[in-house]
């Protein structure tokens, strides 16, 4: 189970919101008598939550049998803002966008964090299209064969959406419907955990968990600049070798991250002592 180190000014309510759990569940697990009596530096065990995944399958014609190992996950955004900017996230509308377009993705995450399974992972979904990834020349225009696609109900910046609809339409969108929600980030991290456990051929780093706009720059803009990669539990592109006198706190300060983030990425206790020469994976930072 994850362990959280209480930061100055944090409340149990804030911690519960961050981990998609409740104050009462945290209190029960940690034998906390009063929600007002927590102190900076306290290690709190976070109860694990299971998120229900609802099957909402697309027809088999929108996918095909898989023959290659899965090595990548591709993140997308989707909405029906072009047709209904005041109600852009109607589930059935989005389903028919995929269905009628002959395209697909394996999962769809709603604004409230609800996860829908559209295509089974053992089938190839049509989500990535044409493009290429640096370091993977054999994947040019073929990423569908090697990847799992995840759509998040979201809308990007005005410039990112102009390829899909006019600026006037963008003005009609409620600001609360632009960008991503906390619930979506929580569900996405949970889903990535499950996907990577089922598919150990996926390396949990930013070369293998990518945005559609990284595979098809100039053609696609999702998930866009409003998507906060620093909130996704993937490994950064570097490894830190622990030196004499270093602590998780000093390492976190050096790389602009947090003790909790490093501990979670490395599956270690945030209060653990480090050994000289120990290799620590550094979580990716927002660029």
């Amino acid at each position: 189970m994850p362990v959280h180190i209480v930061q100055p000014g944090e409340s149990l309510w804030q911690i519960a919101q961050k981990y998609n759990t409740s104050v009462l569940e945290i209190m029960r697990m940690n034998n906390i008598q009063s929600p007002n009596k927590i102190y900076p530096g306290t290690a709190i065990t976070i109860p694990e939550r299971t998120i229900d995944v609802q099957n909402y399958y697309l027809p088999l014609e929108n996918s095909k049998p898989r023959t290659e190992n899965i090595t990548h996950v591709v993140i997308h955004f989707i909405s029906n803002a072009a047709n209904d900017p005041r109600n852009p996230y109607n589930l059935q509308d989005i389903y028919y966008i995929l269905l009628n377009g002959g395209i697909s993705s394996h999962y769809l995450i709603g604004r409230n964090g609800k996860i829908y399974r559209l295509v089974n992972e053992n089938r190839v979904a049509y989500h990535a299209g044409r493009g290429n990834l640096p370091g993977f020349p054999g994947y040019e225009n073929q990423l569908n064969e090697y990847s799992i696609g995840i759509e998040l109900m979201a809308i990007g910046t005005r410039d990112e959406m102009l390829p899909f609809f006019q600026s006037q339409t963008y003005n009609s969108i409620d600001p609360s419907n632009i960008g991503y929600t906390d619930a979506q980030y929580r569900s996405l991290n949970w889903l990535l955990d499950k996907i990577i456990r089922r598919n150990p051929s996926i390396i949990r780093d930013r070369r293998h968990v990518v945005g559609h706009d990284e595979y098809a720059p100039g053609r696609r803009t999702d998930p866009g600049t409003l998507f906060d990669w620093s909130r996704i539990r993937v490994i950064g592109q570097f490894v830190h070798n622990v030196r004499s006198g270093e602590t998780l706190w000093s390492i976190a300060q050096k790389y602009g991250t947090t003790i909790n983030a490093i501990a979670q990425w490395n599956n270690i206790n945030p209060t653990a002592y480090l050994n000289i020469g120990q290799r620590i994976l550094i979580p990716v930072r927002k660029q």
Side-chain angles (χ1 to χ4, degrees):
M1 292 186 181
V3 176
H4 178 86
I5 301 298
V6 178
Q7 303 299 309
E10 274 191 322
S11 67
L12 273 187
W13 183 86
Q14 291 171 319
I15 296 169
Q17 290 294 301
K18 178 176 181 179
Y19 291 98
N20 194 28
T21 185
S22 69
V23 171
L24 186 58
E25 287 178 295
I26 293 177
M27 291 177 65
R28 286 174 176 169
M29 176 155 287
N30 294 272
N31 196 28
I32 297 173
Q33 302 302 314
S34 170
N36 299 318
K37 292 185 177 180
I38 60 169
Y39 304 98
T42 302
I44 291 180
T45 301
I46 306 299
E48 289 188 313
R49 298 294 299 270
T50 298
I51 298 176
D52 180 50
V53 179
Q54 180 178 330
N55 292 333
Y56 204 73
Y57 286 121
L58 288 160
L60 291 179
E61 290 77 10
N62 284 60
S63 62
K64 67 179 183 179
R66 189 184 295 280
T67 59
E68 305 291 345
N69 286 334
I70 300 169
T71 59
H72 284 72
V73 176
V74 184
I75 309 299
H76 306 260
F77 63 42
I78 191 169
S79 75
N80 189 39
N83 299 309
D84 192 354
R86 290 182 172 82
N87 184 28
Y89 299 127
N90 179 276
L91 176 61
Q92 191 170 31
D93 289 343
I94 290 174
Y95 179 88
Y96 279 106
I97 288 173
L98 297 169
L99 177 66
N100 296 333
I103 54 179
S104 55
S105 205
H106 293 89
Y107 297 97
L108 170 67
I109 301 179
R111 301 294 284 176
N112 62 356
K114 178 72 176 179
I115 301 174
Y116 302 92
R117 183 184 291 108
L118 306 176
V119 174
N120 284 328
E121 292 175 12
N122 64 355
R123 296 184 65 82
V124 172
Y126 306 139
H127 61 95
R130 294 177 291 105
N132 61 78
L133 282 176
F136 300 92
Y139 286 21
E140 184 172 358
N141 301 330
Q142 299 293 322
L143 187 55
N144 285 339
E145 305 290 333
Y146 302 92
S147 65
I148 288 174
I150 302 176
E151 299 275 0
L152 289 90
M153 292 187 187
I155 295 167
T157 66
R158 183 185 304 273
D159 288 344
E160 290 165 351
M161 303 312 298
L162 284 180
F164 308 104
F165 48 76
Q166 296 181 347
S167 183
Q168 183 177 358
T169 300
Y170 194 88
N171 293 338
S172 302
I173 300 171
D174 189 303
S176 67
N177 284 328
I178 296 173
Y180 300 84
T181 68
D182 290 341
Q184 286 180 312
Y185 286 116
R186 289 192 293 267
S187 292
L188 178 56
N189 278 314
W190 181 90
L191 182 57
L192 284 172
D193 286 342
K194 302 302 180 185
I195 289 172
I196 292 172
R197 287 176 189 173
R198 288 191 293 266
N199 302 279
S201 51
I202 302 173
I203 300 173
R204 195 176 189 133
D205 66 19
R206 282 286 283 113
R207 295 181 70 238
H208 296 83
V209 181
V210 301
H212 198 190
D213 50 3
E214 295 170 314
Y215 171 67
R219 186 175 70 84
R220 305 301 299 183
T221 60
D222 53 322
T225 57
L226 298 181
F227 185 78
D228 188 352
W229 282 102
S230 71
R231 299 187 64 175
I232 305 305
R233 294 196 296 269
V234 293
I235 297 168
Q237 299 300 304
F238 43 86
V239 176
H240 179 85
N241 291 309
V242 177
R243 299 172 182 171
S244 177
E246 284 189 318
T247 64
L248 278 183
W249 183 86
S250 65
I251 295 170
Q253 292 295 302
K254 177 177 181 178
Y255 290 104
T257 184
T258 66
I259 293 174
N260 286 320
I262 294 177
Q264 198 165 38
W265 260 261
N266 291 271
N267 195 28
I268 59 177
N269 192 304
T271 61
Y273 288 101
L274 302 179
N275 298 315
I276 296 174
Q278 183 175 345
R279 291 163 58 85
I280 298 291
L281 300 169
I282 306 300
V284 67
R285 294 172 293 172
K286 187 177 181 181
Q287 301 299 315

